[in-house]
Amino acid sequence: MPLNRPGIASMSLGRPWIHDLPGKLMQAAAHGFEGIELFFDDLDCYAQRTFNGDHLEASRQVRRMCQRLGMTIICLQPFSMFEGLLDRAESNRLINEKLPRWFTLARALSTDMIQVPSTFLGPDPKTGQARTTGDHAVIVRDLQRLADLGAGAGFRFVYEALCFGDHVDTWEASWEVVRDVNRSNFGLCLDSFNIAGRVYADPASPTGRTPNAAADLAASLERLRTANIDPAKIFYVQLVDGERLTAPLNEDHPFHVPGQKARMSWSRNARLFPFEESRGGYLPILDIARAFFDDLGFRGWVSLELFSRTLADPDPFTPADHARRGMESYYKMSRALKWEGQTEKKPSWFAPAAEPTSLVQHRL
């Protein structure tokens, strides 16, 4: 049986414009990560700073760096705010203008996968009118169109429900979409944070939990176990925890953003790696992981997608610190779930973990 492979999102190692992409890639590889979810924001920042805005040349260089570091680019992400738009002209623009550019960049990066998060556009801030539809048939047709164009170009799409999505905000809803899109190149990303963040956690509550948190999550995981999901339709999974806030995330909270859902504000500021209870982690991530790996039988890329205010720390050691924390979390999970063949090892060229990114850039 194939082994699980550790990956991490490029944005989970430091903020673009604060921490450079080459340094973040070096630290990911130095700490044993085998794959990178590449965020377009990181690629854009690298292109603007180094290649006069040339995203294609930046993509080629990122591919070369990852090849030298022995890392796979898992996907380019996020191709967002696409499905279910009421503005059909914008939908057509994204298909006809943006998507071909992303295909070009993905080829240059040597990845065949593009991640699509569920839309979280929200209402128009000026009019208060909805900008998306919850019509399942419309969402499915939009994504079938995407998948069919990708199939002709040799690309796969991985769809993820965000716990703050406009309409698709549970794993169940995302699976219904993937099932009904019914394309071999359109699959599912299961994310422990977004699953627990929707049915178990409520950052706006004084308890940090929904009223029936444990029971609701248990019921959701039981549905996951019995949904007859082919593991091959799960293109990769993400494991991440969330921080229990000391006060409800209401309009008086420092994380509050007017017009933004509390779960989104929480997600952007307070994710943690699994097993970081000392930092405030409180979601039942191990229960969710058991459903992924023991019950569904998933094997493949296990990515750690963390968003946090800590990523904005300008300290040059920030990428190294997050890479270390992430890999420690990954191996704690591998031990807890008794993954065979997962041993803690470093690449033969391993550089000291604490070395700041600014000191290793020249090696690339």
Side-chain angles (χ1 to χ4, degrees):
M1 181 177 291
L3 296 177
N4 292 313
R5 301 180 68 188
I8 193 165
S10 60
M11 287 274 280
S12 301
L13 295 164
R15 293 275 174 83
W17 303 105
I18 300 176
H19 305 286
D20 68 283
L21 181 58
K24 291 196 288 185
L25 294 175
M26 173 65 82
Q27 289 300 335
H31 287 81
F33 285 102
E34 298 176 21
I36 283 285
E37 287 185 78
L38 182 63
F39 269 72
F40 181 80
D41 285 359
D42 273 308
L43 182 65
D44 180 50
C45 176
Y46 184 47
Q48 300 298 336
R49 280 182 163 175
T50 311
F51 299 101
N52 197 31
D54 187 337
H55 293 95
L56 182 56
E57 186 54 38
S59 297
R60 291 173 178 143
Q61 181 62 18
V62 170
R63 182 198 68 226
R64 288 191 286 265
M65 285 189 289
C66 286
Q67 288 173 340
R68 292 176 64 184
L69 292 169
M71 288 196 302
T72 298
I73 299 174
I74 301 168
C75 67
L76 177 63
Q77 73 134 311
F79 193 86
S80 57
M81 311 304 183
F82 168 69
E83 83 279 17
L85 297 184
L86 292 175
D87 183 347
R88 301 316 293 174
E90 175 63 7
S91 179
N92 288 330
R93 187 193 70 79
L94 292 171
I95 279 285
N96 295 324
E97 297 179 19
K98 180 178 178 179
L99 188 62
R101 292 198 299 268
W102 274 52
F103 285 166
T104 298
L105 297 180
R107 286 192 193 95
L109 291 164
S110 195
T111 184
D112 73 339
M113 189 155 56
I114 294 172
Q115 194 250 31
V116 181
S118 63
T119 298
F120 56 99
L121 198 57
D124 187 301
K126 294 181 179 178
T127 67
Q129 297 297 310
R131 292 183 284 181
T132 58
T133 177
D135 188 323
H136 179 76
V138 172
I139 291 171
V140 167
R141 283 198 300 269
D142 282 348
L143 294 170
Q144 284 176 331
R145 187 181 181 192
L146 196 72
D148 290 343
L149 289 169
F155 290 101
R156 298 181 294 157
F157 296 91
V158 56
Y159 188 61
E160 177 184 3
L162 304 182
C163 64
F164 45 86
D166 286 350
H167 308 289
V168 178
D169 58 2
T170 63
W171 78 261
E172 291 95 333
S174 64
W175 170 238
E176 288 174 3
V177 169
V178 170
R179 180 197 63 202
D180 293 347
V181 167
N182 193 26
R183 299 292 191 270
S184 61
N185 68 325
F186 195 84
L188 193 64
C189 171
L190 293 175
D191 181 319
S192 62
F193 176 88
N194 282 309
I195 289 175
R198 179 62 182 84
V199 300
Y200 182 91
D202 181 0
S205 166
T207 67
R209 295 173 174 83
T210 58
N212 301 300
D216 288 347
L217 180 63
S220 181
L221 294 181
E222 182 59 25
R223 290 192 292 272
L224 182 62
R225 296 182 186 98
T226 59
N228 295 318
I229 299 175
D230 181 351
K233 291 298 287 184
I234 305 171
F235 288 176
Y236 67 91
V237 301
Q238 295 169 332
L239 295 181
V240 69
D241 200 346
E243 179 183 340
R244 169 78 165 84
L245 302 180
T246 57
L249 207 165
N250 55 31
E251 61 185 15
D252 297 322
H253 197 281
F255 297 165
H256 173 73
V257 176
Q260 185 168 285
K261 293 180 180 179
R263 283 186 170 91
M264 182 175 176
S265 301
W266 176 54
S267 172
R268 290 292 178 260
N269 286 280
R271 293 197 191 195
L272 295 167
F273 294 112
F275 300 100
E276 291 194 320
E277 290 83 0
S278 64
R279 296 176 180 266
Y282 74 111
L283 305 180
I285 302 305
L286 190 55
D287 291 343
I288 299 171
R290 287 193 173 108
F292 291 172
F293 301 102
D294 296 346
D295 299 321
L296 295 182
F298 173 81
R299 294 294 184 273
W301 285 113
V302 180
S303 183
L304 305 177
E305 188 191 53
L306 175 140
F307 300 98
S308 172
R309 60 198 182 279
T310 61
L311 297 167
D313 187 340
D315 190 321
F317 288 88
T318 293
D321 185 52
H322 284 81
R324 174 190 57 77
R325 286 171 51 196
M327 190 50 69
E328 287 177 355
S329 169
Y330 179 82
Y331 280 117
K332 285 179 182 178
M333 184 66 69
S334 72
R335 290 192 293 270
L337 296 180
K338 298 181 172 59
W339 290 341
E340 295 182 4
Q342 300 276 209
T343 58
E344 298 184 39
K345 59 184 180 181
K346 304 272 192 316
S348 59
W349 56 269
F350 176 69
E355 193 170 354
T357 59
S358 59
L359 298 182
V360 298
Q361 292 171 20
H362 68 279
R363 299 181 187 172
L364 299 175

